[in-house]
Each structure stands twice: as C-alpha cells, then as structure tokens.
C-alpha cells in the first residue's frame, strides 16, 4: 500500500483561493443538510508552552471523502522562527480505510480559514460593503482580506496590530494584491468604523467594544478557537444576529464560548449555523441596519474538502512522493 506525500510546495502549486471558497461553501452546505459526520475537535493543552494540539476528523457523505487534520496553535512560535499554526492532513479511503495521502496542512489551513470568512460575508454582510477593518495583521489577516476581495468591491482597508511593524508589513504586502487604499490605524476603535470587521487575534480579553460597532456592520470573528478565548465585547453579541460554523464546537471553543459560560447569552441566542443559511434552512441578513457576526472555529469538513482538491489534482499532475506503508 502506497501513500502519497505532498509537501507545502505541492499544496501551494495546486490550491487557488477561489476554488477553496467553492469547496468550503459546498462543505458548509452539506453540514447544513446534516450530511456530514464531524465530531468536535479534540484538544491537548500544553500550558507550560502556551500551545495546544488538535485532532479534527470528518466524513463528507455526498462526496464520500474522509480524513483527519492534526494541527497545533502556539502563538509564541514567531519568536522561534516557526509558524504559530502547523498542520498535517491525512486522507483515507472510505471503502477500505487505507491512508491515501498525507499532506502539509499549514497553507491549506490558511486558505480554508480565509475562505470561510469570505463565504460567510457573502451571505451575511451588506452587498454594498466597501470598507474592511482588520484587527490583527498576521498571516490569517491576509487570507481573510484576499477572500473578501473575491466577493466585494473593496475601496479601503483599515488594519490595527499591537505591532506597528507587523501592520506596516501587512500594508506593504497587501497593497500589491488588493486594489484598495490600506491604512494602518492607531487604535482598534478606528478600525471598527467599517462595513466588514475581521478579528484575527489570540486574545483572551475582548478587544472590540460594543459601542464601537455601528448598525449594518458584519463581523468575522476568527481568532477565538479554544476555550477561554474571546475577541468581542459579550454585549455586542446581544445586539447581533450570531451565526456560527458549528454550534457544538463554537459553544466550547468559539467566540460564543465565554459569553455562554458566563450566562450573558444562551444557545437560543445563536441564530444559525452558516451551513443552514447556505442551504436555505435559515435566512441570513434581513436588513441593512442589522449587525451580523460569524463565529468561525474552523471545521474539519473544510480541511477534508480542501485536501480532496489537492489530492485529486496531485494525482492528475503526478505531483508528490509515493511512500510505502508496509
């Protein structure tokens, strides 16, 4: 039995964000139709190293594809010259269970997470959204913006980061890719004056205050992906239509996890899962003045749908290396 090994160069040579967005949207839709198997993420916490390790299995029944992603989150890795997120994805045959491929999941994770934000905004943000605000200027901020640019005509981008150098680096990189004015903001409040707000930070105390968010704003809350993390003032969630990627997973590790634990909101205050909106089970935005929030924790179905694109193309192009299992 041979397994196809695909490194990050292989993955990068195959994946295009537009194709990933299409795959993620279809995966969300299957989730909304209850046609996936996806246990919640399993975590190992390494408190003394300020990091964690997660396993994420999924089976997409309509496509008949399955696998698991293993991924870490170590925010202090930047100081060590390593990515804060590193991942591997294993695809398995649903017929025999045979491992078909093992591939780098780091770049894949960046793209599928950005794609989720773009897809959610497509259904939840105002169609005339032109100004994007971003809190946090790491790698994921770039992918989020690129995905949004495929859906909206972006005129201006405001970015804030606790590191001015990182924010300036973001501005320099994205000016070459986005046909929009990019401003390095001096505060989070300044960034919140926008049509679509993206938060991509690892914080455990809210950085976005409710009073800074004007009616009609859509928010992609990306950073909270583990218990105890939150980026938004809990009172903001009481003003907004809250849509999550997966209710079970978001309840213990998403933006809603702390407000739920503290009793600020209840599960009844969560309007829908994004797959339900895409599948037409629930409506998305219903008015121009509505505040909408997408709570993205990152789903295994996104990884397996995206990894399937990589595996199929790699086989067609003869990419990767064959490894013997026995």
């Amino acid at each position: 039995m041979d397994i196809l090994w695909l490194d990050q160069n292989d993955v990068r040579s195959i994946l295009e964000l537009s194709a990933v967005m299409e795959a993620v949207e279809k995966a969300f839709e299957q989730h909304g139709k209850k046609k996936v198997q996806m246990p919640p993420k399993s975590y190992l916490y390494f408190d003394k190293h300020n990091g964690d390790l997660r396993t994420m299995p999924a089976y997409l029944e309509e496509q008949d594809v399955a696998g698991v992603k293993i991924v870490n989150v170590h925010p202090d890795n930047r100081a060590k010259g390593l990515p804060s997120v590193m991942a591997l994805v294993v695809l398995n045959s649903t017929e025999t269970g045979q491992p078909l491929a093992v591939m780098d999941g780091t770049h894949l994770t960046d793209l599928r997470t950005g794609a989720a934000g773009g897809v959610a905004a497509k259904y939840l943000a105002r169609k005339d959204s032109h100004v994007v605000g971003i809190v946090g200027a790491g790698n994921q901020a770039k992918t989020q913006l690129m995905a949004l640019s495929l859906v909206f005509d972006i005129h201006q981008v405001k970015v804030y980061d606790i590191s001015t150098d990182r924010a300036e680096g973001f501005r320099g990189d994205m000016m070459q890719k986005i046909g929009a004015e990019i401003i390095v903001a001096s505060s989070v409040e300044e960034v919140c004056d926008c049509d679509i707000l993206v938060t991509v930070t690892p914080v455990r105390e809210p950085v976005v205050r409710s009073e800074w968010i004007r009616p009609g704003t859509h928010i992609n809350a990306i950073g909270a992906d583990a218990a105890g993390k939150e980026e938004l003032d809990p009172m903001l969630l009481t003003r907004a239509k809250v849509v999550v990627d997966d209710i079970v997973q978001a309840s213990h590790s998403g933006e809603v996890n702390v407000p739920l634990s503290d009793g600020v909101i209840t599960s009844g205050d969560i309007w829908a899962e994004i797959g339900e909106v895409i599948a037409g089970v629930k409506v998305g935005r219903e008015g121009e003045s509505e505040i909408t929030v997408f709570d993205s924790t990152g789903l295994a179905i996104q990884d397996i749908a995206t990894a399937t694109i990589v595996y199929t193309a790699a086989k067609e192009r003869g990419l990767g290396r064959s490894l013997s299992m026995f």
Side-chain angles (χ1 to χ4, degrees), residues 212-290:
W212 296 341
I213 303 301
R214 68 189 188 192
T217 303
H218 170 67
I219 302 170
N220 280 339
I222 309 297
D225 59 356
K229 289 186 177 182
E230 60 176 336
E231 300 181 288
L232 309 181
D233 180 347
M235 296 311 298
L236 175 57
L237 300 183
T238 68
R239 299 171 54 204
K241 173 177 282 183
V242 179
V243 177
V244 300
D245 51 11
D246 180 82
I247 287 177
V248 174
Q249 189 164 289
S251 295
H252 70 69
S253 62
E255 183 61 41
V256 298
N257 88 91
V258 175
L260 283 172
S261 297
D262 292 345
V264 177
I265 63 171
T266 69
S267 58
D269 295 315
I270 298 173
W271 171 252
E273 294 174 330
I274 188 63
E276 294 177 310
V277 175
I278 295 169
V281 177
K282 295 281 188 73
V283 297
R285 173 172 288 273
E286 295 180 270
E288 294 299 291
S289 63
E290 193 171 36

Side-chain angles (χ1 to χ4, degrees), residues 167-243:
E168 289 289 357
F170 173 92
R171 179 177 180 273
D173 288 344
M174 299 312 293
M175 280 183 63
Q176 302 175 34
K177 300 176 181 179
I178 302 293
E181 178 187 25
I182 300 180
I183 298 170
V184 174
S186 59
S187 67
V188 175
E189 182 176 2
E190 181 182 348
V191 164
C192 290
D193 182 17
C194 62
D195 301 315
I196 299 173
L197 178 66
V198 181
T199 58
V200 279
T201 72
V203 298
R204 292 180 175 269
E205 295 288 340
V207 293
V208 174
R209 298 179 64 87
S210 178
E211 59 265 31
W212 296 341
I213 303 301
R214 68 189 188 192
T217 303
H218 170 67
I219 302 170
N220 280 339
I222 309 297
D225 59 356
K229 289 186 177 182
E230 60 176 336
E231 300 181 288
L232 309 181
D233 180 347
M235 296 311 298
L236 175 57
L237 300 183
T238 68
R239 299 171 54 204
K241 173 177 282 183
V242 179
V243 177

